[in-house]
Amino acid sequence: MAKAYGIVTMAGAHINIEGMMDFRPVSAFSFLGRYRIIDFPVSSLSNSDIENIHVYVSQNPRSLAEHLGSGRIYNINSKRGTLQLLFNQDSRVNDIYNTDIQAYYDNMDVISRMQQQYVIITPGHMIFKQDYKRLLEDHVASGADITVLYHKVNNAKTEFRNCTVVNLNRQKGVKSIEKNEGNVDEKNIFMETYVMKNDLFMELINKSKRTSSILRLVDIINIANEELDIRGIQHKGYFSVVTDFKSYFDSNLALLDRNAQKELFSDDWPIYTQTTDACPVHYFDGSSVKNSMVANGCRIEGTIENSVVGRNVEIGSKVVIRNCIIMSHAKIDDNVCLENQVVDKYAHITSDKTIVTTPDKPGYIRRNDIL
Amino acid sequence: MKQNSMLAMVLAGGRGSRLKDLTNKVAKPAVSFGGKYRIIDFPLSNCANSGIDIVGVLTQYESVLLNSYAAAGRIWGLDSKDSGVFILPPREKADANLDVYRGTADAISQNIDFIDTYNPEYLLILSGDHIYKMNYSKMLAFHKEHKADATIAVIGVPKKEASRFGIMATNEDDRIVEFQEKPKAPKSNLASMGIYIFNWKLLRKLLLADMKNNDSHHDFGKDIIPTLLNDGRLIYAYRFKGYWKDVGTIDSLWEANMDLLEKSNELDLSDPSWKIYTEDATELPQYIGCDAVVKNSYITQGCIVEGKVENSVLFTGTEVGKDAVVKDAVLMPSSIVEDGAKVTRALVANGVKIGKGAVVGNAKSEEILLVAEDVEGVK
């Protein structure tokens, strides 16, 4: 048995992606045509031999529950391993009560029964790969109480504005974790990933409840920083976050770059997802496709450039699609022009429409809508 | 418990030697088809979609890959409590020495004990090397309706090609009156598809007798069906309409892949009501590069296309480099066409690499070129 179990957290209340979140939590967002964002943390945990995984969800659990199933798709042993969805009921009184700590508190009995000595907590709205086995080894070897992951960036003034940053001392000790104020470009973006002993985790949850009802895990860790040895480890490789609509749009299109693809996907680190048994893509005579990722089951007669196209999408003739994310089962009829749009599942755009916006303000076409 | 009134046995032991180097290491049913599938996905998906729960797969030639592949019954959803795919290679038994399957009928005879454990009323015999979609439950309904002793699925073939097939001569009620194996003078154009439904009790008796008959070829077409006809048993022809292809040669395998390029092709693998299931590849969606040109092609997950692809079928994980041209070609899984190479009217085998600038195949060739070994690049 692995020494740690995993927790994939739900996106905090500060994350709001208008439109798309009406239908599913961020972790269930479709990503790069055939994945969902949750596939990245869960695959990394599974590839690290961590086979007991808790996935937290509070709202619209249907799509996440459907997608995760028994966990078999993630190569988790069906007897020894478990992939559990843990629910918690959001407070209707006031959003300030809806913290991750509250969710953990509601599921304290499950947490307290875990056999593993360590817990690895990682978010459901960030896209990266990480060998957690190595992270755990490094954590144990360092003797730290808590190890957190951070990613060094040089564009924190404009990007990652909805993230927190890790302030480190020279020995990689964590001084504080605070909001990205956007005043400096070089920052260590906090990846909301923690390794600690499960006992300490429970202690922090209880302490947090005793201190205040509205604390988040990151708050109590900041408060406990004085007594605890908290260290940061730098993550290297592909990293993106989905905290708003624009970052969702950008994270997808960023992976049209072959080098970015190679950084995130490799044969020795598979990213698992649910298969839908869609047939290969059928390109017809009039089609012209450049710099795009296309998932199986599509039928394409038109032009696609710099776009991500999900499964079973139909693209009619004389259609032009540029810088778009088209989700599965969308149908685009003849003579449609779309630029900088996110078209949600099962949307149907009937012929002779032009919907164009600028890349800094991508548009959104809702699930099931007919235009 | 669910009632398994019909059990299916898939004959998957053949080598398919006319597929040349493609079947050096794998049996024909495991050969790739249609971008992401293997040939045996078709009968197994048909079984799953027809509500058949228990499927035996009879393997013999180069069966390691085929055995492990077919054993993963979950691929086709045949993994519920009461269902399963069972791999049945020849085995040594208490009362018989280890012996190869001497023929199609013998393969079933040697597994009577397996079939008996499920005690089915009907036995469906399938071949593991045909491409088609068929609802076997409709064929069973036909069989019951006619109170038949056996039913054979048939398909109309052009008269001039009839002599390549096993031909069924029928009366006006579609009762089979004569069976002609590859006849010079065919009496009808109804070819056997190698799909049979038998009443198990009757077939069991015939098989036990056939095992002891030293003059028998132990073959359904040559021995069992003629015996039934001689005995005056009721054998009916079940007429199938739709796509059906025996992909026995390089040319026919290439052709069957090319058939998928027709806009409304008969096989229609995109029909959500009759999906063909296959092993899931853990690969990225396909990436079509900045300078790529893709026309009239069928391309699957994991492919990377930087060059020009026209009229072709690209299988899982193939790569086409910059300025490369792939035309009228089939690229089997993980094959690579490097920058500037040209592939025309060819079938490139699994994992084969066509080096930079190399030219293979000829637009005017009569036969399809099989490229089974790496081709060195041109400096």
Side-chain angles (χ1 to χ4, degrees), chain A residues 258-285:
Chain A
R258 286 282 295 132
N259 292 324
Q261 285 165 24
K262 282 178 197 158
E263 240 183 19
L264 184 59
F265 298 91
S266 58
D267 290 344
D268 62 351
W269 203 262
I271 305 299
Y272 306 103
T273 191
Q274 193 79 257
T275 175
T276 61
D277 298 293
C279 67
V281 179
H282 203 156
Y283 296 91
F284 298 100
D285 267 336

Side-chain angles (χ1 to χ4, degrees), chain A residues 336-347:
Chain A
V336 167
C337 176
L338 300 176
E339 275 185 41
N340 302 304
Q341 300 296 313
V342 174
V343 179
D344 207 333
K345 288 170 93 172
Y346 295 99

Side-chain angles (χ1 to χ4, degrees), chain A residues 199-216:
Chain A
D199 287 341
L200 176 60
F201 180 47
M202 289 188 289
E203 199 183 306
L204 289 170
I205 297 167
N206 287 323
K207 184 172 176 176
S208 174
K209 286 300 275 186
R210 285 196 304 272
T211 315
S212 158
S213 294
I214 60 168
L215 291 183
R216 294 169 301 154

Side-chain angles (χ1 to χ4, degrees), chain B residues 26 45 67 80 83 101 112 121 130 154 176 205-206 209 223 244 271 324 347 361-362 378:
Chain B
V26 296
S45 299
N67 288 358
S80 69
S83 72
Y101 292 144
I112 286 176
E121 208 171 334
H130 296 149
V154 296
I176 296 170
K205 245 183 263 165
L206 291 178
D223 308 287
W244 178 79
D271 177 6
L347 192 148
N362 178 345
V378 195

Side-chain angles (χ1 to χ4, degrees), chain B residues 107-233:
Chain B
I108 305 297
S109 303
Q110 290 199 38
N111 289 288
I112 286 176
D113 55 347
F114 167 78
I115 298 166
D116 279 346
T117 54
Y118 294 97
N119 191 28
E121 208 171 334
Y122 306 100
L123 190 74
L124 172 67
I125 309 285
L126 302 170
S127 141
D129 43 13
H130 296 149
I131 305 288
Y132 66 106
K133 297 196 295 193
M134 182 173 178
N135 189 338
Y136 305 129
S137 66
K138 283 189 183 162
M139 182 172 166
L140 178 62
F142 173 94
H143 176 84
K144 286 182 186 169
E145 196 185 307
H146 288 79
K147 299 192 165 56
D149 293 308
T151 299
I152 302 173
V154 296
I155 187 162
V157 293
K159 265 264 152 88
K160 57 177 186 195
E161 284 181 41
S163 52
R164 286 174 41 222
F165 295 92
I167 293 296
M168 303 291 162
T170 58
N171 69 13
E172 61 275 21
D173 301 327
D174 277 343
R175 181 173 168 186
I176 296 170
V177 292
E178 193 183 337
F179 170 73
Q180 304 175 289
E181 178 73 23
K182 296 185 180 151
K184 287 215 174 75
K187 289 185 178 168
S188 89
N189 72 331
L190 298 177
S192 166
M193 297 165 69
I195 301 168
Y196 313 96
I197 291 178
F198 292 100
N199 294 344
W200 172 234
K201 274 190 190 139
L202 171 65
L203 179 67
R204 196 179 185 281
K205 245 183 263 165
L206 291 178
L207 291 175
L208 288 173
D210 177 77
M211 279 177 101
K212 292 181 195 128
N213 179 358
N214 288 327
D215 299 328
S216 172
H217 312 83
H218 312 291
D219 185 88
F220 279 104
K222 290 190 187 116
D223 308 287
I224 303 295
I225 303 299
T227 306
L228 282 165
L229 284 171
N230 285 339
D231 293 354
R233 294 285 182 177

